[in-house]
Amino acid sequence: MTVFPMSPEESTLQNTSTQPPPVSRPVKKRIGEILQDAGLITEEDLAAALIESRKNNQFIGLTLVRAGKITVEQLGQALSVQFGIKYANINKINIDKTLLDLLPEEFIRDKQVVPIAKERGRLVVAMVNPTNREVIDEITFITGMRPLVTVTTQLEYVEFCNKHLSEVSSNTLRDEISNFSDQMVVEQGQVDLRQQRDAELSDPTNPLVKLVNSIIEEGIERNASDIHIEPRPKKYLVRFRVDGILRTILDVPQNMEASFVTRIKVMARMDIAEHRRPQDGRITIKYKGTDYNLRVNTLPVSDSREKIVIRILRPSKNISDFQSLGFDADDVKKLEFLYKSPYGIILVCGPTGSGKTTTLYTVLQRINDDIRNICTVEDPVELQIEGLNQSQVNPKADYTFASSMRALLRQDPDVIMVGEIRDYETLEAAVHAALTGHLVFSTIHSNTTSATITRMIEMGAASNLIGSALVGVLAQRLVRNICPYCKVPYEAQQWEKDLLFPYDEDQRQKKVLLYKGQGCELCMNSGYSGRSGIYEILIVDREIRQLINDSHSDLEIEDAAIAAGMRTLSMNGRAKVIAGVTTVEEVTRVLGVNLGGQ
């Protein structure tokens, strides 16, 4: 059987003018079968790729490209055969920017569609999913032109967005800095605060306003959790925390410093004349039709300058399911057992930034229904979720976690979520609520599930009350995922096998295949993209309850939990490395030498 007759260059865009959008054409063959019929892969290649694609939860075509069995162009040609339409290699087409302006950038990103040409008054578009009738109708509504549909691969689409859409955003930041520097009318270090307030309220075209807005929008686009604005000699440094790692984005010249910092303070409703003490503020912005809440904190540093951190809080619609957070099927069953308890305390522990709040929000979303009264008290309320009664602590009004718990118990709650247990008062109130028939969720700062029990005792709670009230503890960390677009296999070195199989000498002597990211434009050459959790779930059964009541050590409690089927953080981390989700280096970065422990 011959390979596809068209070359990649010829197949860039092939006579689409007579082709209607084939949105209802049935798919006759699977991609693997088409590639096998074309003589590009063998039956053994297909079988191996099917196993690998299921293991890594990715499309078979992507797996075959990663394995080097086919090229991206050959995958595109196979998709052309599968859908019965033309294939467009969008990264080999010189697309006029005026075409990209026909569709909103958000639409291009969300719907995975790229306008590539105009033919006879119709708009030619390349789609990752050319069978989506709703998207085709939306294109007609937005542009007033009936689209002619071609198919492109997911790989080419992501590369296109990274090169064209993200690049525009990065260049915009530098353009705004240049514009602002050119148009400054105040002397260095001096600011007309009244003019700044007027600009903030009435002049969105002001270069300073556009600069700060561009930085925030870029942070949202890059999925940053925090924006750090830090003073350095003769400049301010802007860094984004993406996937838990800080990355430098751009430098702001020192002659813009006073205006730049004051603008952010004005947006956050802070005291612009106060430079000697920390301040907290909030900003609410709408970007691409979505509301974002920003928490802003300033900190005085040397030379009377200030460091600013902006936390980006994303809307509740971004709450994921448990699988997306990194829970495997066994973990999900254990978690369901915990949150289906009628009463008791369920704690989530881990360091700051380990995803504890996201896990709790996901659990609350799962049990959120009309038959329960779910009340939360948080510091602050990070996500507004419909159906939950959410309140925020206010120490100035003597509304603390402890006092709020007493108030919530008079609100006839079924479920209570306390943002954090920080002191004995809050812990006592949570235990009392659990013992009186309420289901209580909270977070606590400790390293492991068994250490959490010791921590509760150290805070002053009686061991017998803890044993009666505690249902379970979940410890978690976040590790970066290997970038799926530059993921390659390699043979594990001996030190890696020693860490992964500390108690299996036979396995350490075998050949072990692991994965890593080589680094590409799509992951900013880091080799990682996105994060998932590693978890340790302790369920308080009869034996562990007795150990708690008898004040046994955390190590004895941990041993009993492992014997009952608990997987520690180290075990879970090793499993994710072996499964190709992350790397040994990443898990050891998060857990340290504990990877080689239990």
Side-chain angles (χ1 to χ4, degrees):
M1 182 72 66
T2 59
V3 188
F4 303 111
M6 292 287 185
S7 67
E9 290 76 16
E10 291 172 323
S11 65
T12 300
L13 182 60
Q14 315 164 34
N15 296 328
T16 57
S17 59
T18 59
Q19 294 288 334
V23 294
S24 60
R25 185 187 298 273
V27 177
K28 296 180 179 180
K29 284 189 176 182
R30 297 178 183 273
I31 283 292
E33 295 172 338
I34 294 170
L35 293 168
Q36 193 175 351
D37 290 346
L40 294 172
I41 61 172
T42 65
E43 187 175 349
E44 291 75 18
D45 292 334
L46 179 58
L50 283 170
I51 294 173
E52 188 68 18
S53 65
R54 289 167 184 160
K55 177 181 176 182
N56 296 323
N57 192 28
Q58 65 184 19
F59 292 115
I60 184 72
L62 177 60
T63 301
L64 289 165
V65 171
R66 293 281 169 258
K69 300 298 182 182
I70 59 172
T71 66
V72 175
E73 288 83 0
Q74 287 168 337
L75 174 59
Q77 290 284 3
L79 290 170
S80 174
V81 173
Q82 186 182 48
F83 290 110
I85 58 176
K86 307 303 179 183
Y87 158 58
N89 186 332
I90 56 178
N91 292 306
K92 290 187 177 180
I93 303 174
N94 186 18
I95 303 175
D96 193 327
K97 188 180 183 302
T98 58
L99 289 172
L100 296 179
D101 292 338
L102 292 174
L103 294 175
E105 182 178 320
E106 181 183 14
F107 185 86
I108 293 175
R109 290 183 182 276
D110 290 348
K111 309 302 183 182
Q112 298 184 319
V113 56
V114 179
I116 57 177
K118 278 185 181 179
E119 287 191 8
R120 300 179 185 177
R122 299 182 70 178
L123 183 65
V124 183
V125 296
M127 298 178 64
V128 174
N129 178 14
T131 65
N132 194 325
R133 165 72 69 179
E134 291 183 1
V135 172
I136 293 171
D137 291 341
E138 287 182 68
I139 295 171
T140 303
F141 178 78
I142 293 171
T143 65
M145 292 180 281
R146 186 64 179 167
L148 297 167
V149 180
T150 64
V151 66
T152 192
T153 67
Q154 178 80 25
L155 284 166
E156 291 166 307
Y157 166 78
V158 173
E159 184 180 352
F160 173 86
C161 289
N162 184 71
K163 284 183 177 179
H164 296 277
L165 303 185
S166 297
E167 192 173 284
V168 171
S169 298
S170 298
N171 290 337
T172 298
L173 290 179
R174 291 171 177 81
D175 291 342
E176 298 301 347
I177 289 178
S178 177
N179 291 339
F180 182 74
S181 298
D182 292 341
Q183 299 183 38
M184 282 188 68
V185 294
V186 295
E187 296 181 3
Q188 181 174 341
Q190 295 180 341
V191 185
D192 187 333
L193 302 183
R194 181 173 297 175
Q195 287 183 5
Q196 278 198 229
R197 285 188 181 277
D198 291 342
E200 189 260 335
L201 293 173
S202 60
D203 187 8
T205 63
N206 182 287
L208 176 62
V209 174
K210 294 174 68 177
L211 170 63
V212 176
N213 289 349
S214 296
I215 290 173
I216 293 173
E217 290 167 4
E218 178 76 352
I220 293 172
E221 284 288 348
R222 295 201 184 194
N223 202 32
S225 60
D226 301 89
I227 300 173
H228 288 242
I229 301 168
E230 305 173 354
R232 294 287 191 271
K234 298 183 179 180
K235 64 182 179 183
Y236 254 74
L237 196 67
V238 178
R239 299 198 289 171
F240 291 167
R241 186 176 294 279
V242 180
D243 294 338
I245 304 296
L246 281 171
R247 298 172 182 175
T248 300
I249 302 301
L250 78 160
D251 299 337
V252 178
Q254 190 174 22
N255 66 333
M256 300 169 54
E257 175 180 331
S259 300
F260 185 71
V261 171
T262 303
R263 164 62 186 168
I264 296 175
K265 284 186 169 183
V266 168
M267 293 176 69
R269 301 295 187 263
M270 294 178 174
D271 184 351
I272 57 179
E274 177 59 68
H275 305 284
R276 298 169 298 175
R277 61 183 177 88
Q279 296 188 68
D280 292 301
R282 299 181 73 91
I283 302 172
T284 300
I285 67 168
K286 182 181 288 289
Y287 180 62
K288 292 185 176 179
T290 301
D291 291 323
Y292 292 88
N293 291 317
L294 312 179
R295 281 169 31 198
V296 185
N297 176 266
T298 64
L299 179 71
V301 292
S302 59
D303 300 326
S304 300
R305 302 169 79 189
E306 292 176 280
K307 180 182 183 297
I308 301 175
V309 174
I310 302 174
R311 167 65 59 88
I312 301 175
L313 303 177
R314 299 177 185 274
S316 59
K317 68 180 182 180
N318 288 332
I319 293 178
S320 306
D321 55 28
F322 294 127
Q323 288 78 10
S324 299
L325 295 179
F327 289 93
D328 60 22
D330 185 54
D331 289 336
V332 171
K333 288 180 181 178
K334 292 179 180 178
L335 199 55
E336 287 178 346
F337 174 81
L338 293 180
Y339 70 68
K340 288 181 179 178
S341 301
Y343 55 84
I345 298 177
I346 299 169
L347 296 177
V348 181
C349 69
T352 301
S354 60
K356 301 187 297 294
T357 303
T358 301
T359 298
L360 284 179
Y361 277 138
T362 306
V363 170
L364 292 179
Q365 188 78 294
R366 184 63 62 91
I367 63 176
N368 186 11
D369 54 39
D370 291 337
I371 66 172
R372 291 185 177 91
N373 176 20
I374 303 176
C375 300
T376 78
V377 55
E378 308 168 54
D379 183 22
V381 176
E382 295 195 5
L383 294 177
Q384 293 284 351
I385 301 178
E386 185 177 354
L388 271 57
N389 303 292
Q390 298 173 268
S391 62
Q392 181 169 319
V393 298
N394 185 356
K396 292 181 180 179
D398 195 29
Y399 186 62
T400 63
F401 281 127
S403 62
S404 65
M405 282 290 294
R406 292 190 290 271
L408 287 182
L409 289 175
R410 294 190 289 271
Q411 287 288 314
D412 186 31
D414 298 292
V415 180
I416 299 172
M417 193 274 273
V418 187
E420 183 182 347
I421 293 179
R422 298 174 178 172
D423 50 43
Y424 171 71
E425 275 190 296
T426 309
L427 176 59
E428 181 186 39
V431 170
H432 173 72
L435 293 176
T436 53
H438 303 88
L439 185 60
V440 181
F441 295 92
S442 189
T443 69
I444 190 169
H445 282 291
S446 57
N447 291 326
T448 64
T449 53
S450 56
T452 298
I453 297 171
T454 305
R455 169 79 175 135
M456 295 171 73
I457 295 173
E458 289 175 349
M459 291 174 71
S463 57
N464 63 315
L465 294 181
I466 295 173
S468 299
L470 192 62
V471 177
V473 185
L474 185 152
Q476 68 178 73
R477 305 288 190 275
L478 291 177
V479 294
R480 290 179 293 169
N481 297 333
I482 300 171
C483 173
Y485 301 104
C486 60
K487 182 177 181 180
V488 294
Y490 73 98
E491 186 176 345
Q493 300 180 44
Q494 189 58 49
W495 69 270
E496 292 174 309
K497 291 188 285 187
D498 291 341
L499 285 174
L500 293 174
F501 309 103
Y503 310 111
D504 191 340
E505 178 65 29
D506 291 339
Q507 190 65 41
R508 294 200 299 270
Q509 302 306 318
K510 296 179 182 178
K511 179 180 177 180
V512 177
L513 197 65
L514 300 178
Y515 295 86
K516 63 181 178 181
Q518 289 181 312
C520 63
E521 291 184 357
L522 302 180
C523 63
M524 298 198 296
N525 293 313
S526 67
Y528 298 96
S529 179
R531 288 191 291 177
S532 64
I534 53 177
Y535 302 96
E536 174 180 304
I537 303 177
L538 182 150
I539 296 176
V540 179
D541 58 15
R542 183 183 182 89
E543 180 181 356
I544 292 176
R545 184 169 290 110
Q546 187 61 53
L547 292 175
I548 296 172
N549 290 341
D550 294 341
S551 301
H552 283 258
S553 69
D554 57 343
L555 293 179
E556 292 175 295
I557 294 172
E558 182 178 275
D559 289 341
I562 292 172
M566 182 185 81
R567 290 185 301 168
T568 65
L569 289 168
S570 298
M571 294 175 182
N572 202 296
R574 289 197 292 263
K576 279 191 163 50
V577 172
I578 295 169
V581 175
T582 188
T583 64
V584 174
E585 291 86 351
E586 179 64 9
V587 177
T588 53
R589 180 186 71 84
V590 173
L591 295 182
V593 295
N594 289 331
L595 178 59
Q598 279 285 2

